[in-house]
Amino acid sequence: MVYSRWRRKLPDWLTVRPVELPGRGSRLDESLQTDLCALARQLAKELRPELRRPYAIFGHSLGALLAFELTHALRELACAPPLMLFASGTAAPTRREDYEKGYAQAKSDAELITELRELQGTSEEVLANHELMTLTLPILRADFLMCGRYRYQQRSRLDLPIRVLGGTEDRSSLEQLRAWGEETASDFSLDMFEGGHFFIHEHERQVLETIGDGLSTHWDRTRACVATHY
């Protein structure tokens, strides 16, 4: 739903294609995934027929890590690479030590709600809604496990630009964000925004300008963008 709003706010030459993950939305009847690399391979096979035009990939938080692994999975399928990878709101794949410690074991409902409060992106009214939390917490539990159980694989660098977006008050340090530069044999840049983990909502206009400006230098105005989100 977040990315659907972007359709109205990005330039006309840029098409947004939100990626829905198994176990939610229209894919609610599918099993939730806790293996991020397996999910990336699944999505790569699903998206492969759609990638006939040049494209970019954007992911925020866990979605950024998934976008990174999706890019590698598409390369394994011999697909044309994205023109740019946007990684937003999370540490680089080689700097996941904080996440491995905190998320590798399944969290209780109370622990998940505490985590949501600390991320400051969910209202107390939503957290207090028992019916909504009953639907949401199993998805969040699987996502946290997927994050905590991820293990980096050493591979050749991606031959495409990586542009990283970070929040000044988010948990990822500048060193963890800059480490994304180790994953590309091409250009790397880092843009910082005021705010915490959900700076992409607080500064949506600036974030979209960053995406549009970055892509406008790499393609003509007939392209598509794939987005993943946590």
Side-chain angles (χ1 to χ4, degrees), residues 1-10 14-21 57-67 86-89 165 198-201 204 207-208 211 225-230:
M1 291 185 292
V2 171
Y3 292 129
S4 294
R5 293 202 308 267
W6 286 14
R7 290 189 176 109
R8 303 189 302 270
K9 299 179 180 181
L10 281 165
L14 183 59
T15 301
V16 180
R17 165 65 162 89
V19 175
E20 193 153 59
L21 305 184
I57 299 179
F58 176 96
H60 179 73
S61 193
L62 179 61
L65 196 60
L66 179 57
F86 292 90
S88 172
L165 288 67
F198 293 102
F199 65 87
I200 65 167
H201 304 324
E204 186 177 72
V207 167
L208 296 184
I211 294 172
C225 178
V226 176
T228 64
H229 181 264
Y230 171 68

Side-chain angles (χ1 to χ4, degrees), residues 56-59 64-65 67-69 71-72 75 81-94 152 155-165 176-191 210 214-215 217-218:
I57 299 179
F58 176 96
L65 196 60
F68 170 73
E69 288 297 333
T71 304
H72 275 286
R75 184 170 69 174
L83 295 183
M84 182 175 290
L85 171 62
F86 292 90
S88 172
T90 199
T94 56
Y152 178 74
R155 292 158 292 192
S156 60
R157 296 187 179 196
L158 296 169
D159 191 17
L160 54 95
I162 294 180
R163 189 158 189 171
V164 173
L165 288 67
Q176 288 176 312
L177 295 172
R178 288 173 179 148
W180 278 101
E182 300 170 6
E183 304 304 323
T184 176
S186 182
D187 298 331
F188 169 78
S189 61
L190 171 61
D191 297 274
T210 297
L215 291 177
T217 62
H218 286 275

Side-chain angles (χ1 to χ4, degrees), residues 4 12 23 41 61-62 67 78 92 99 119 131 135 172 179 195 208 224 226:
S4 294
D12 292 340
R41 291 191 294 269
S61 193
L62 179 61
Y99 300 87
L119 290 173
E131 183 178 358
L135 294 172
S172 298
L208 296 184
V226 176

Side-chain angles (χ1 to χ4, degrees), residues 5-223:
R5 293 202 308 267
W6 286 14
R7 290 189 176 109
R8 303 189 302 270
K9 299 179 180 181
L10 281 165
D12 292 340
W13 55 268
L14 183 59
T15 301
V16 180
R17 165 65 162 89
V19 175
E20 193 153 59
L21 305 184
R24 63 209 81 193
S26 63
R27 307 183 67 168
L28 192 61
D29 59 338
E30 299 179 39
S31 299
L32 292 166
Q33 180 62 268
T34 58
D35 184 330
L36 188 141
C37 293
L39 177 58
R41 291 191 294 269
Q42 177 185 348
L43 293 176
K45 292 176 182 177
E46 294 173 356
L47 292 169
R48 185 180 185 181
E50 302 182 33
L51 303 179
R52 297 186 179 91
R53 295 183 294 164
Y55 64 99
I57 299 179
F58 176 96
H60 179 73
S61 193
L62 179 61
L65 196 60
L66 179 57
F68 170 73
E69 288 297 333
L70 172 60
T71 304
H72 275 286
L74 289 169
R75 184 170 69 174
E76 291 172 4
L77 294 176
C79 296
L83 295 183
M84 182 175 290
L85 171 62
F86 292 90
S88 172
T90 199
T94 56
R95 296 297 309 274
R96 310 297 299 180
E97 57 274 8
D98 298 343
Y99 300 87
E100 292 175 11
K101 294 177 183 177
Y103 299 154
Q105 301 300 320
K107 292 180 177 289
S108 67
D109 288 358
E111 288 172 329
L112 287 171
I113 290 174
T114 297
E115 189 76 31
L116 290 176
R117 282 197 176 99
E118 291 177 356
L119 290 173
Q120 300 179 349
T122 309
S123 69
E124 286 298 322
E125 289 79 6
V126 171
L127 294 176
N129 187 319
H130 177 72
E131 183 178 358
L132 183 58
M133 286 294 99
T134 298
L135 294 172
T136 303
L137 290 178
I139 297 173
L140 291 174
R141 184 173 292 109
D143 285 353
F144 276 110
L145 284 173
M146 186 158 50
C147 179
R149 294 176 177 177
Y150 172 78
R151 296 296 179 268
Y152 178 74
Q153 304 173 51
Q154 187 69 47
R155 292 158 292 192
S156 60
R157 296 187 179 196
L158 296 169
D159 191 17
L160 54 95
I162 294 180
R163 189 158 189 171
V164 173
L165 288 67
T168 56
E169 304 302 322
D170 200 1
R171 66 179 297 172
S172 298
S173 67
L174 280 174
E175 291 74 18
Q176 288 176 312
L177 295 172
R178 288 173 179 148
W180 278 101
E182 300 170 6
E183 304 304 323
T184 176
S186 182
D187 298 331
F188 169 78
S189 61
L190 171 61
D191 297 274
M192 297 299 296
F193 298 83
E194 294 292 331
H197 190 63
F198 293 102
F199 65 87
I200 65 167
H201 304 324
E202 300 165 11
H203 303 288
E204 186 177 72
R205 181 180 61 81
Q206 295 96 316
V207 167
L208 296 184
E209 287 177 354
T210 297
I211 294 172
D213 291 346
L215 291 177
S216 66
T217 62
H218 286 275
W219 55 9
D220 64 32
R221 300 189 171 191
T222 59
R223 314 307 197 191

